[in-house]
Amino acid sequence: MKLQQLTYIAEVVRCDLNITRAAERLHTSQPGVSKQIRLLEDELGLKIFRRKGKQLVAITETGKEVLRLTEQILNKVTDIKSISLDKTDPKKGALKIATTHTQARYALPATINAFRTKYPDVELSIYQGTPDQLAELAQQEVVDLVIATEALDLFTDLIMLPCYYWNRSILVPEGHPLAQSTPLTLEAIAEFPLVTYVFASGSHQLLERTFGAKGLHPRVALTAVDTDVIKTYVKLGLGVGLIASMAFDPESDQALVARDASDLFPDSLTMIGLRQDHYYQKFVLDFISEFAPHFHREQLQQLILQSDSGNQPLAAEGLNLPRR
């Protein structure tokens, strides 16, 4: 059994059993990947994959157990490499972050800028998606960190650290009836179609609960992942935008009016998720401290050491979290 063979079967699974695509990502040949997988199966005396002709069509039940252990082995190999880099070249490595468009566009730039200044040789990758997609990236261990707000129940396998509170604003074109109406009420908002973020697991219920408490039923005209898409359709008059307040820029959004709606909707909490039982290089912990200054490196190391399966999100109470 070779480490290379384990790497091959893990990559094939990540590529949805497409050997050609896996070979491209591994910078090798498709026949070479197929040969090594068969050699491993012959050595183990079992089938990891079910085939139809030369095509892989499924993972066998035994194969699933092999792959579970394979991922553990490969993760430990990565940890060993990280430990080595921390000792020999602590300012080099890679950091992969999964987050939503709003976080990437409006919350992260200052942190990224400070981090790049301190660690110019770290390869930084940002994956954007819906909370459900972020959870899948975390589950597949494609990324090191997840920054999420909604559907936090999807991240129960991660150490979840509270970062900051945020709330929402109503976005309308200049001259819209809601641009000047005082006070701004849910009843007034409900008279217009809504343009807001793609609903993650549980987020639709937030709208229903908030409006439902007043006996109202909001009409959603459009949902989008990208805040800039929401702004575009608000400008076109498709509906009233409901966005994170941090996503409004008075300079670039001069054709729009933002009305603070924080007294109408409950606060949301942004959290950063770390993988359990994983060695993080010091620059990763520094990134977290830059994004959430109430956590320092030594505290983060202790939290990771104390983590176990079924870890619950760290309570936000008593942390004096900022608001954005």
Side-chain angles (χ1 to χ4, degrees):
M1 184 188 307
K2 300 176 182 177
L3 187 61
Q4 180 194 54
Q5 294 170 328
L6 300 181
T7 302
Y8 283 6
I9 64 171
E11 192 61 43
V12 166
V13 172
R14 293 192 190 102
C15 292
D16 297 321
L17 307 187
N18 187 316
I19 298 180
T20 301
R21 195 191 322 158
E24 290 173 353
R25 291 177 58 169
L26 292 164
H27 306 291
T28 188
S29 67
Q30 182 269 331
V33 173
S34 297
K35 178 182 178 181
Q36 290 302 321
I37 291 175
R38 286 196 177 277
L39 287 174
L40 178 60
E41 288 179 323
D42 291 344
E43 180 183 348
L44 298 176
L46 54 84
K47 294 297 181 185
I48 298 172
F49 300 103
R50 245 190 5 253
R51 294 169 173 80
K52 186 175 182 180
K54 294 184 178 180
Q55 184 178 2
L56 306 183
V57 295
I59 307 169
T60 66
E61 288 303 313
T62 305
K64 291 176 183 178
E65 183 63 19
V66 171
L67 285 161
R68 184 183 68 81
L69 296 173
T70 293
E71 290 292 353
Q72 292 179 10
I73 293 168
L74 295 178
N75 287 337
K76 294 305 179 185
V77 170
T78 301
D79 284 352
I80 292 170
K81 291 178 180 178
S82 296
I83 291 170
S84 173
L85 279 174
D86 248 355
K87 299 297 183 183
T88 60
D89 208 341
K91 292 196 172 185
K92 282 190 176 181
L95 174 56
K96 298 179 181 179
I97 303 166
T99 190
T100 62
H101 171 271
T102 300
Q103 299 291 330
R105 170 67 177 81
Y106 299 100
L108 276 174
T111 299
I112 296 293
N113 188 48
F115 181 80
R116 295 296 294 169
T117 300
K118 188 174 182 180
Y119 296 102
D121 294 326
V122 171
E123 181 182 340
L124 186 63
S125 302
I126 299 178
Y127 298 72
Q128 296 181 52
T130 65
D132 305 271
Q133 291 169 332
L134 305 187
E136 184 175 353
L137 288 170
Q139 186 177 22
Q140 295 176 350
E141 300 187 345
V142 173
V143 296
D144 304 297
L145 302 176
V146 172
I147 301 174
T149 295
E150 299 175 294
L152 296 177
D153 57 316
L154 297 174
F155 304 99
T156 53
D157 291 336
L158 300 181
I159 307 166
M160 300 301 291
L161 308 176
C163 298
Y164 63 86
Y165 292 109
W166 62 273
N167 213 302
R168 296 155 182 81
S169 289
I170 294 298
L171 201 63
V172 295
E174 292 180 342
H176 191 279
L178 293 183
Q180 300 295 334
S181 63
T182 304
L184 182 65
T185 64
L186 289 173
E187 288 82 357
I189 296 170
E191 293 181 9
F192 302 92
L194 286 179
V195 183
T196 189
Y197 300 113
V198 169
F199 296 124
S201 305
S203 61
H204 195 192
Q205 285 75 8
L206 182 143
L207 281 183
E208 292 179 342
R209 286 197 307 269
T210 303
F211 283 94
K214 297 279 189 177
L216 304 171
H217 302 284
R219 294 170 291 148
V220 178
L222 178 90
T223 60
V225 174
D226 190 325
T227 308
D228 294 332
V229 172
I230 294 173
K231 293 176 182 178
T232 296
Y233 285 97
V234 169
K235 290 177 184 177
L236 291 174
L238 189 66
V240 170
L242 180 61
I243 66 169
S245 296
M246 73 179 92
F248 178 74
D249 183 349
E251 291 188 9
S252 60
D253 299 325
Q254 292 182 11
L256 297 171
V257 175
R259 299 290 307 277
D260 179 29
S262 58
D263 59 335
L264 302 179
F265 295 91
D267 283 339
S268 291
L269 177 62
T270 290
M271 305 190 84
I272 192 163
L274 299 82
R275 284 155 50 188
Q276 300 184 51
D277 192 26
H278 179 71
Y279 182 86
Y280 282 100
Q281 287 183 251
K282 291 182 177 61
F283 65 73
V284 180
L285 305 183
D286 283 347
F287 178 92
I288 298 170
S289 294
E290 186 69 40
F291 187 69
H294 44 281
F295 292 114
H296 50 80
R297 184 197 292 174
E298 292 74 16
Q299 183 183 11
L300 291 168
Q301 288 173 328
Q302 192 64 28
L303 287 169
I304 294 170
L305 289 173
Q306 292 174 350
S307 68
D308 54 22
S309 58
N311 190 68
Q312 296 298 313
L314 189 67
E317 291 76 11
L319 289 178
N320 193 26
L321 299 182
R323 294 180 181 274
R324 298 186 180 180

